[in-house]
Amino acid sequence: MNYREIIDRYLQLQGHKALQLRAVLFDMDGVLFDSMPFHAKAWSQVMTDAGFHFTQEDVYMNEGRTGADTINTASLAQFGKPSTPEQIDALCKAKCDIFATYPETPRMRGALELVTKVKACGLTPMIVTGSGTPTLLDRIQSNFPGIFDEGHIVTSFNVKRGKPYPDPYLLALEKGGFAPNEAIVVENAPLGVTAGVAAGLFTIAANTGPLNPEVLYNAGANMVFPSVEAIENDWENLLAALTA
Ligand code: CA
């Protein structure tokens, strides 16, 4: 990958003169935490039990949507009508119950090292997630101590429209006081990439799931790395290109 060429193409397309990097906006599940295998298993089981055709790969394709939106989208596609609020509540609760029986999800390999490097070079790390579990802030602080300010975390509680809409990323820019050319996104899912790109942000994908990398490029990712660790390993070169 020629980083500079890719960045120049982005700048031209967006009409920015330069990137003036001040912040890195991290997605959470599948980027900071290796939680997607558990989410995939739980969602696929609950949806299949409720009569949907919903494979673990479908979970990755829907990743980033809120629970309600995931269920509604599947219901519209497979039964031609949205799901009822009662069904949505029941399925979300069933999924959470199954998820709670799994062991605590580990950090993604390379994630702590990457966010530590980001912070050390004076950039502001932020989290933008479609998740809204009550223990989320505690888990972030215990796994990434001292890295993320509470005011720099956007969750599903903060926005009406989740990813793939740009709203969560736009809110992150607003909360942090950053312009679109002052921040970049690190995402792992196609819909998350779509959200970052729709917000006008330079978007880097870490393909930490089972999807073909083409899916992430097709969603608009400016760069696709095979893992978070791969971004961390080449962070110095990437940063040099991003701040050139
Ligand atoms: Ca994700």
Side-chain angles (χ1 to χ4, degrees):
M1 260 190 289
N2 182 329
Y3 295 154
R4 203 50 240 177
E5 244 173 51
I6 295 168
I7 294 162
D8 285 342
R9 215 178 308 140
Y10 159 84
L11 291 173
Q12 211 170 29
L13 207 69
Q14 294 289 331
H16 301 309
K17 278 207 185 73
L19 274 179
Q20 276 154 344
L21 194 60
R22 293 172 63 204
V24 182
L25 315 185
F26 290 95
D27 169 51
M28 189 176 77
D29 288 300
V31 171
L32 298 179
F33 290 99
D34 193 6
S35 42
M36 280 311 294
F38 290 144
H39 284 295
K41 214 171 138 199
W43 268 122
S44 171
Q45 184 185 327
V46 164
M47 295 293 278
T48 306
D49 288 350
F52 290 91
H53 175 80
F54 212 78
T55 64
Q56 293 199 20
E57 186 163 349
D58 289 326
V59 181
Y60 284 90
M61 291 305 291
N62 278 278
E63 187 193 338
R65 287 192 206 278
T66 60
D69 197 17
T70 300
I71 297 162
N72 255 331
T73 303
S75 186
L76 278 168
Q78 295 180 31
F79 302 113
K81 55 176 190 204
S83 208
T84 63
E86 292 75 25
Q87 186 183 33
I88 288 172
D89 283 350
L91 293 181
C92 286
K93 187 178 175 304
K95 187 261 172 175
C96 280
D97 288 347
I98 292 177
F99 196 78
T101 67
Y102 295 154
E104 197 168 316
T105 53
R107 269 194 308 257
M108 186 66 75
R109 264 175 85 97
L112 181 60
E113 294 78 358
L114 178 59
V115 297
T116 302
K117 281 183 181 180
V118 163
K119 186 138 181 152
C121 63
L123 302 174
T124 301
M126 294 184 72
I127 293 180
V128 181
T129 177
S131 175
T133 52
T135 57
L136 181 143
L137 292 177
D138 289 343
R139 279 184 53 229
I140 292 169
Q141 297 307 354
S142 61
N143 280 277
F144 300 93
I147 300 282
F148 298 100
D149 291 348
E150 203 168 319
H152 289 156
I153 299 173
V154 172
T155 71
S156 69
F157 297 119
N158 304 127
V159 285
K160 276 211 189 78
R161 297 189 312 176
K163 303 171 190 177
Y165 289 102
D167 305 28
Y169 281 109
L170 293 174
L171 180 62
L173 293 178
E174 194 186 314
K175 273 189 159 193
F178 302 116
N181 69 327
E182 293 177 338
I184 59 168
V185 168
V186 181
E187 266 285 353
N188 73 304
L191 296 180
V193 167
T194 303
V197 171
L201 297 163
F202 189 83
T203 301
I204 298 173
N207 190 17
T208 59
L211 301 177
N212 188 311
E214 281 307 310
V215 177
L216 294 162
Y217 279 118
N218 290 342
N222 298 99
M223 297 175 178
V224 180
F225 287 81
S227 64
V228 172
E229 209 177 17
I231 301 175
E232 194 261 320
N233 282 337
D234 210 33
W235 174 250
E236 287 72 19
N237 287 327
L238 187 55
L239 182 67
L242 287 167
T243 53

